[in-house]
């Protein structure tokens, strides 16, 4: 796992070979397949572990910190995740450097990617359900509002197509539009 983190952060999924992952560890390439079906499966396992490690700090810096203020919580969440993506070598590969396309090629990884996406929404969904029950959100299902919030992060996949200097402003605009319009006015 540690070797995978290092290789994937350095070379990316496409350029990392099984020999890169096993070299110097005393295991053969064929032994690698006793643990993982593919390098993509290893990458997804690492990604999920890293996500779990970061989950608490992400929630503490956003939804838990601003639990009674949905608009602030959403802003803090999205900006914190953007910061993590910019500074975390594994997340950066997937979300900015388009390594996610390499993962889609692996059929066994396709369901794992869907699972990660569902998990991302399920992590924040309880907060949206709480706010919906309190009557502070617009009249949309909490699940849809949580998924919409998570969907803003999909803009990261287009980061390289947006002018470099414009990207922070584009994200700020999307985040403000969402945060300003997700709560009922006057509450």
């Amino acid at each position: 796992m540690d070797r995978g983190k290092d290789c994937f952060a350095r070379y990316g999924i496409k350029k990392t070979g099984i020999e890169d992952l096993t070299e110097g560890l005393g295991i053969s390439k064929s032994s690698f397949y006793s643990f993982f079906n593919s390098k993509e499966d290893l990458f997804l396992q690492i990604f999920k572990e890293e996500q779990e490690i970061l989950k608490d700090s992400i929630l503490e810096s956003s939804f838990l910190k601003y639990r009674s203020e949905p608009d602030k919580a959403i802003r803090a969440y999205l900006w914190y995740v953007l910061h993590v993506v910019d500074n975390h070598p594994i997340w950066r590969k997937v979300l900015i450097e388009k390594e996610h396309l390499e993962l889609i090629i692996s059929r066994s990884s396709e369901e794992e990617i869907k699972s990660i996406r569902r998990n991302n929404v399920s992590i924040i969904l309880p907060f949206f359900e709480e706010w919906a029950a309190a009557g502070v959100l617009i009249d949309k299902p909490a699940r849809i509002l949580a998924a919409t919030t998570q969907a803003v992060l999909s803009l990261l996949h287009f980061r390289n197509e947006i002018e470099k200097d414009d990207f922070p402003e584009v994200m700020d605009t999307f985040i403000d539009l969402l945060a300003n319009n997700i709560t009922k006015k006057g509450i």
Side-chain angles (χ1 to χ4, degrees):
M1 295 290 283
D2 289 338
R3 180 62 169 254
K5 288 177 192 177
D6 180 55
C7 288
F8 292 134
R10 241 191 249 184
Y11 312 121
I13 299 167
K14 186 175 186 173
K15 293 181 182 175
T16 296
I18 301 300
E19 56 279 346
D20 296 319
L21 297 169
T22 59
E23 185 179 357
L25 296 179
I27 62 170
S28 65
K29 286 171 56 174
S30 60
S31 294
F32 172 86
Y33 293 106
S34 299
F35 301 102
F36 300 98
N37 292 327
S38 65
K39 66 182 180 180
E40 292 84 7
D41 287 344
L42 170 61
F43 184 90
L44 285 169
Q45 182 64 38
I46 291 168
F47 187 85
K48 288 190 312 189
E49 278 190 14
E50 294 294 311
Q51 181 184 39
E52 192 60 35
I53 290 167
L54 291 168
K55 180 178 82 172
D56 289 340
S57 66
I58 290 170
L59 292 178
E60 286 171 14
S61 299
S62 57
F63 289 103
L64 294 170
K65 184 175 183 178
Y66 300 107
R67 192 170 208 141
S68 63
E69 302 170 273
D71 57 329
K72 286 184 180 179
I74 291 166
R75 277 187 183 90
Y77 169 74
L78 293 170
W79 280 114
Y80 192 88
V81 171
L82 289 170
H83 172 76
V84 168
V85 168
D86 275 340
N87 295 289
H88 191 283
I90 299 292
W91 286 30
R92 184 175 187 80
K93 289 288 182 200
V94 173
L95 298 170
I96 295 176
E97 298 174 21
K98 299 194 177 187
E99 291 283 327
H100 67 284
L101 298 175
E102 298 300 323
L103 293 172
I104 293 170
I105 292 169
S106 169
R107 268 189 256 130
S108 64
S109 300
E110 198 168 335
E111 187 53 42
E112 282 294 319
I113 293 168
K114 288 178 184 175
S115 173
I116 289 169
R117 288 182 184 142
R118 284 189 300 268
N119 188 43
N120 288 340
V121 173
S122 70
I123 290 169
I124 64 174
L125 182 58
F127 300 97
F128 286 86
E129 291 171 337
E130 182 180 306
W131 296 328
V136 298
L137 297 181
I138 60 173
D139 293 327
K140 298 278 183 191
R143 177 183 50 79
I144 298 299
L145 296 175
T148 301
T149 298
Q150 194 64 38
V152 170
L153 295 171
S154 65
L155 287 174
L156 284 165
H157 294 303
F158 301 102
R159 182 180 190 147
N160 296 331
E161 283 78 27
I162 298 171
E163 288 291 324
K164 185 178 181 179
D165 294 338
D166 291 346
F167 184 77
E169 191 171 347
V170 168
M171 288 306 297
D172 196 42
T173 301
F174 267 100
I175 291 169
D176 277 347
L177 286 168
L178 177 66
N180 290 336
N181 291 292
I182 207 162
T183 58
K184 291 181 179 175
K185 301 298 179 221
I187 292 182

